[in-house]
Amino acid sequence: MSCIFCQIVDKRIPANFIYEDDAVVAFPDINPQAPHHYLVVPKVHYENLLAVPKDSDVFNRVYSAIDQVVNKAGIAETGFRVVVNTKDDGGQTVPHLHFHVLGGRFMTWPPG
Ligand code: 5GP
Ligand code: ZN
């Protein structure tokens, strides 16, 4: 398995987990775009947002993880942005479903 996020989930590639449970991990992005930039990653390999089975509870599990990450990081009050780049036009570069959580600065709109 060459998927880089599967290797991080399996702890074969190091990352500083800010959060982990049986379904999800979260760790800082290696190329941060904000003072706080975390990747919230389901442990099961889904290629993208559309690859998740309809009966999966993964989105509930990710939501719960994001809630805990933003509180732990101290950005729950000031605010943050959650981004899921999906496929080529969405700018997805790692084909393992992940949620960017960005905070610690004002986010402009529209995104690039
Ligand atoms: P995408 O472009 O697919 O939306 O997001 C992939 C993200 O993964 C990028 O922001 C990139 O910086 C990050 N990334 C890629 N490889 C690694 C890695 O080995 N470790 C960490 N922590 N982040 C990574
Ligand atoms: Zn994977």
Side-chain angles (χ1 to χ4, degrees):
M1 169 61 80
S2 62
C3 171
I4 193 152
F5 287 175
C6 281
Q7 292 180 68
I8 288 175
V9 165
D10 292 343
K11 303 185 172 74
R12 284 179 282 139
I13 292 177
N16 293 323
F17 288 1
I18 183 174
Y19 177 81
E20 180 178 16
D21 63 27
D22 61 311
V24 178
V25 296
F27 49 88
D29 195 295
I30 204 170
N31 183 22
Q33 302 302 311
H36 291 271
H37 186 173
Y38 307 103
L39 299 172
V40 177
V41 180
K43 287 186 170 179
V44 172
H45 179 99
Y46 299 116
E47 197 162 321
N48 59 49
L49 200 61
L50 301 178
V52 177
K54 297 293 176 256
D55 62 348
S56 170
D57 73 342
V58 72
F59 296 120
N60 287 333
R61 302 301 301 268
V62 166
Y63 164 70
S64 172
I66 289 172
D67 185 302
Q68 294 182 68
V69 166
V70 298
N71 278 288
K72 192 168 177 182
I75 56 174
E77 297 302 322
T78 47
F80 55 90
R81 180 172 291 175
V82 178
V83 174
V84 186
N85 297 326
T86 304
K87 299 189 177 179
D88 291 345
D89 277 1
Q92 184 175 9
T93 60
V94 176
H96 178 135
L97 176 63
H98 54 282
F99 295 69
H100 296 260
V101 177
L102 301 128
R105 68 167 171 82
F106 180 78
M107 299 292 159
T108 58
W109 191 265

